[in-house]
Amino acid sequence: NTIYRAGVLGRRPRVPADFAELERRARRASSPVAWAYVAGGAGEGRTMRRNRAAFDRWAIVPRMASGAVERDLSVELLGRRHPTPVLLAPVGAGALMGADSDLKTARAAAATGTTYILSNQGCNPMEDCAAAMGDASRWFQLYWSKDEDMVDSLIARAEAAGAGALVVTLDTTVLGWRPQDLNLGSLPFSRGQGIAQYTSDPRFRRIVAERLGRPSARPQVTLGAIRTLLAMARNHPGGFLANLRSRVPRASVETFLDIYSNAGLSWDHLATLRGRTRLPVVLKGILHPDDARRALDLGADAIVVSNHGGRQVDNAVASLDALITIRDAVGPAPTLLLDSGIRTGADVFTALALGADAVLLGRPYMYGLALAGRPGVEDVIRNIIAELDLTMALTGTPAIPAITRDLLRPDTAT
Ligand code: FNR
């Protein structure tokens, strides 16, 4: 209401209220390399387009005269009341959209009461984000490292940093085919962006020290260290001194690329999770109903139905279509979250009506970050929630459980 009135009274918003203009302006504010990575998708971009097209195939059928003046947007997720069904997806290498991206996002999330899922590929250590958030709700997303001690170290830190859940992403054991990045010869991680959870980790530091061939406790100049310095000089166009000053040494980047993900991840690994953390476990990146059943059989507390924003498999099923199949397969009880393609409040409504308990935003808040930093992220969140609230007001749904499938109709026109 406040946002709407401000708009009608002629106050110009910090970020555009519609996604198309938000995207246009964010693109103008970003470098080609940053844009390719953040906005880009896998292959021909078919999955990304399909994610959006899936929403257009459903039409909302509003109901009138519910008599309710206020709406209650809150939902219960993993034992905690959330003020809205909107969360922030884990996004790595966010610094492409501005320095200290994760800290800014953490503050915006806290200010709006939105749960922030801290990325394994974050640009600020999770402890710093946690400190910036106070008591506000955050979860931690893990990529399964090739080094099992690293897995335990990240889990222990997430628990200590007050994470409310551990989200294990399954769909990125290897990075998808991303032509935009390949054509530009750019990948953020090879430049050291998005590796802050690792460089701040004691286990990782030990691994790097071992690989450099020197004892971790007492740093001393060895052949390995000299080789690393020479490699740094060679590999960075900025010159030797600039490299010495750069915060992430080449050896860390190489070790990170080598171990951050286990290409051989299997259900046997996942079966060990329950014994390794006291946190609720969420498995992210599931699209097939059999995988959903298996995840729940294993004791997962929730699933994120996701195709990683269309960044992994080209021509994959739309996330929204997978949600319908999975909800039908698992029944009404299990907690299902959805991401990939959520752009508006009406999209959130549609996803909830088709069986999601909550949704995650990815690129929209990154674009807010690109345009206006922390306040930009806040505005993007508030706009989407405001539209959801208005949609509920205008469809006769005063609370989230009232958003049901009978308020949708397949759109035969498209
Ligand atoms: C991601 N995503 C992601 N997921 C994850 O589990 N860990 C990660 O580190 C990242 N990193 C990442 C970087 C960038 C630049 C993007 C755009 C996405 C996927 C993310 O969590 C989410 O699934 C999608 O972004 C949702 O789709 P939309 O909202 O971007 O369409």
Side-chain angles (χ1 to χ4, degrees), residues 82-84 86-88 106 108-116 133 136-137 381 385:
H82 293 242
T84 79
V86 175
L87 292 78
L88 300 187
T112 55
T114 309
T115 291
Y116 178 28
M133 293 186 82
S137 168
I381 297 169
I385 290 171

Side-chain angles (χ1 to χ4, degrees), residues 89-90 92 119 141 143 169 284 308-309 311 339-341 343 362-363:
S119 167
Q141 175 261 322
Y143 283 132
T169 299
K284 174 172 182 280
H308 212 100
R311 301 164 68 78
D339 78 19
S340 302
R343 300 291 176 261
R363 294 184 187 84

Side-chain angles (χ1 to χ4, degrees), residues 99-183:
D100 286 330
S101 51
D102 300 15
L103 282 179
K104 291 173 186 163
T105 305
R107 294 198 178 101
T112 55
T114 309
T115 291
Y116 178 28
I117 309 179
L118 299 160
S119 167
N120 190 89
Q121 320 295 73
C123 292
N124 297 101
M126 62 177 105
E127 291 80 4
D128 296 357
C129 292
M133 293 186 82
D135 290 337
S137 168
R138 60 254 180 189
W139 298 355
F140 176 70
Q141 175 261 322
L142 177 84
Y143 283 132
W144 203 283
S145 171
K146 241 191 243 175
D147 183 272
E148 288 291 324
D149 291 339
M150 193 68 220
V151 172
D152 287 326
S153 184
L154 289 168
I155 292 176
R157 287 173 60 201
E159 289 178 352
L166 181 71
V167 180
V168 181
T169 299
L170 308 180
D171 60 15
T172 310
T173 48
V174 293
L175 216 58
W177 182 253
R178 313 244 178 105
Q180 289 98 326
D181 297 333
L182 293 168
N183 288 343

Side-chain angles (χ1 to χ4, degrees), residues 1 6 32 46 51 55 71 74 100 112 116-117 131 148 153 184 191 215 226 321 333 361 377 388 390 395 410:
N1 219 338
R46 282 174 289 195
N51 281 340
F55 283 94
R71 274 78 53 196
S74 71
D100 286 330
T112 55
Y116 178 28
I117 309 179
E148 288 291 324
S153 184
L184 289 170
R191 294 166 188 220
I226 293 168
D321 291 334
L361 303 175
V377 175
L388 171 63
L390 289 175
T395 54

